[in-house]
Amino acid sequence: MSPDRITAAVGEPRPRVEGRLKVTGSAHYVADTPVAHLAHGWMVTATVSRGRIRDIDAEDALAMPGVLGVLDHRNARRLNPDVSHHFGPDRSLPMLQDETVAYAGRPIALVVAETLEQARAAATALRVTYHTEPHDTGFSMNHPAARPASTLFGPEADTGDLEAELAASTVVVDEVYHTPEESHSAMEPHVATAWWQDGHLHALDSNQGPFGISQVMASLFRIDPERVHIRAEHVGGGFGSKTVCGAQIILAAMAAEHFQRPVRVALTRRQVFLATGSRPPTEQRVRIGADTDGRLRAIHHHAAFALSPLAEYIEWCTEQARTLYAAPAIRTELSAVPLDVLPPCSMRGPGAAPGSFAFESAIDEVAERLQLDPLHLRLSNQPAVSPVSGRPFSTRRLVECLEEGARRFGWAGRDPRPRLRREGNLLVGTGVAAVAFIAGAFPSSATITAETDGTFSVRIGATDIGTGARTALIAVAADALGVGTEQITMHIGDSDLGLAAGAGGSRGTTSCAFAITETAKALREKLAGSARPVTASVDTTPLINWQPDEERYTYSAVFAEVTVDPATGEVRVRRLLGMFAVGRVINPLLARSQLVGGMIGGLSMALHEESVRDPVTGRLVTADFAGYHISAHADVPDVEADFVTDYEPQDPSGFNGLGEIGNAGTAAAIANAVWHATGTRHRTLPISLGRAIEPAPARDRPEAVGVA
């Protein structure tokens, strides 16, 4: 190994190392992995939104062929009621502990049988009766139970004299925006296989962070964390829904212990909708005051989101208002509304996706009322330092994103007036939105061994949920060690590999790359004059600066072109262009894939995605892909994602994360483009056919010409 050798693996557009396995069907996901003496569990979920289980009659189910038994609150092992995850205590994790039903979709029983088909058939024979209680699933910012949200992410902003600045403004936008509950809709449903051996719990689980899941499972089952072993070799997407400890692994572990054999629990698509976390609905009031020339004077963003009283959660919608633009007065408020719903969880672009829709729509409304170019308004209000804390930014390339995006998109030829551009019967419009997404690194550990054959074995508990993290980390390790990528063997996806950040918060790859880089430095020092094999390990916990002197963000500018058919309400997105400043890019091929996928997710948010609950029962009525619409191939237009040159000085290699930011600004850009096309502002997502359809002009209506 030559310490001075520059391999430049980082920055090269290399295909995924496991790509061939995946496209040939050779990659084993959890449901594909054979396990001897395997039994199957079928989850039964509550059908009422609040109440108590009166009885579970399992007599017929137990008499059916192949059925091993039924677990419910009467015979399930006792779990630790005081378990927590990263947001704090979570009373939804101890399952099958009592007769209480806190939300529709809550797991209340598990039928275990020799085959999946036998378990499913027996589950339909289970007879459950309830004492129902009044439920509340009606979300509103003004709900009487609304309370201040957790301040885990820090205090909300309150700078300057907000009311005085609003009173002195030439124009004040004061509007309310709504986003619905949304489901993650990952390709692979949640599934786990668990077994016990010599007091140790082993599990194959589809999750976004095996180490974190192992810690929660150890707490739940009150066993030493060293006795919990979780693996997640290949994961078919997650988008945040697999960051938390899922029902599938908890129930599989309980059943495996009870029946003394391996048990697999695989959720159906409907069960995924009903029993796994979702993005919560939001209601957001935005007030912005500005002078005639477009200088912002006041920004007020008050956002509310729904959660469950069982668990704390934060949908940080107010991040954009405190980061994107300068103003003498900025105030943000975040409220939580406890309802009888399942606990929400982070969904790609958490907080920033619904928050940017509201905030960047309001910014566009300021430009509209001042008759200013919305791009010019954004560019003319850029802060030199953080507008709330006053601290400098570690790097800030938002202006470059906006300017380069505008150049490529052809923004200069745009007439800012709405409803002027037509193609036949179609109205055509363009829009833009900007986003900042907080960045950083979480503690992680890595181990690297210099083998006798000249190769290097890298072990880190990272997770590749389909993003190419494995391939990216091989490049990082190769450059850090000064060797070619062919000399790196990467081991990931196992809690036994030690502390590692999960794939979430746009920090997974960045955090693990930091650990690998530091471990490579330590290995180089140990190798001097030593015979192989030589091993080095580093835990970055003491190296993480939790209170840096500079604020660290990634940035994007998204441009959209849409057509709207005023007769049918059909909105079609023709073009999406995103320019991103995300630090040094490890692998442009994989990074573009991530960002294009994120932008398609943002398109889906803008036009399609909406979970609907029955107002009488409180139950989810869109628990499948027939009722819950997502973007299909025909909806995906010309999507382009590219980068401006950037380098993150807070990271030793200049990296930042990019998993979330692709989603975050796209819905706002599309909504702004729809306004430009039609002259109608949509403040509620999705902009579906029923919401986008326009009334006929007065001269075309029958009553206008005296027709009865």
Side-chain angles (χ1 to χ4, degrees), residues 284-330:
Q284 305 174 60
R285 182 188 181 191
V286 183
R287 293 192 293 167
I288 302 177
D291 287 336
T292 306
D293 62 359
R295 186 178 70 88
L296 301 183
R297 299 184 67 106
I299 294 173
H300 180 210
H301 189 175
H302 181 193
F305 61 91
L307 50 59
S308 165
L310 296 177
E312 196 60 72
Y313 174 74
I314 307 169
E315 187 73 12
W316 197 25
C317 298
T318 55
E319 180 183 12
Q320 308 306 307
R322 55 189 293 146
T323 307
L324 281 178
Y325 307 112
I330 299 177

Side-chain angles (χ1 to χ4, degrees), residues 457-510:
S457 297
V458 181
R459 293 174 171 82
I460 188 164
T463 315
D464 191 333
I465 62 171
T467 57
R470 180 187 281 102
T471 306
L473 293 177
I474 287 174
V476 171
D479 280 10
L481 292 166
V483 300
T485 55
E486 72 281 356
Q487 292 175 256
I488 304 296
T489 302
M490 183 66 60
H491 303 270
I492 66 171
D494 192 330
S495 65
D496 289 349
L497 298 176
L499 169 70
S506 290
R507 301 193 185 197
T509 301
T510 306

Side-chain angles (χ1 to χ4, degrees), residues 102 147 214 342 388 393 420 505 605 680 700:
R147 59 167 175 81
S214 74
L342 80 168
V388 172
F393 296 102
L420 290 182
M605 177 184 186
T680 299
D700 297 333

Side-chain angles (χ1 to χ4, degrees), residues 536-559:
S537 299
V538 170
D539 181 340
T540 61
T541 302
L543 304 178
I544 300 291
N545 184 1
W546 293 107
Q547 293 182 318
D549 295 331
E550 300 172 323
E551 294 196 1
R552 180 175 175 180
Y553 287 90
T554 56
Y555 303 91
S556 74
V558 180
F559 296 80

